[in-house]
Amino acid sequence: MRLTNGFSKKLLHLKAAVALHFAYYNFCRVHSSLRVTPAMEAGLTDHIWTIEELISLPQPERRLLP
């Protein structure tokens, strides 16, 4: 099966991509209407995160199926 950039063929990859998008949207991207990130507006953080901060977070352990 050929892998493409257009979409995820594996559910695990899709979940990872969606989680990364939501984290970027809420912690890294400054919204024009708020003038801060949604996470700052909600009081979850006190600064705009960089991409490096976001991807350096500890990753949960993946359990392999028996």
Side-chain angles (χ1 to χ4, degrees), residues 7-46:
F7 61 93
S8 298
K9 292 189 177 187
K10 297 179 182 177
L11 183 59
L12 183 65
H13 295 174
L14 175 65
K15 288 180 179 180
V18 170
L20 185 60
H21 173 76
F22 273 82
Y24 171 79
Y25 184 86
N26 287 310
F27 287 90
C28 300
R29 184 175 180 269
V30 175
H31 295 257
S32 60
S33 61
L34 298 174
R35 307 239 193 285
V36 293
T37 66
M40 290 173 65
E41 185 70 21
L44 299 175
T45 186
D46 60 350

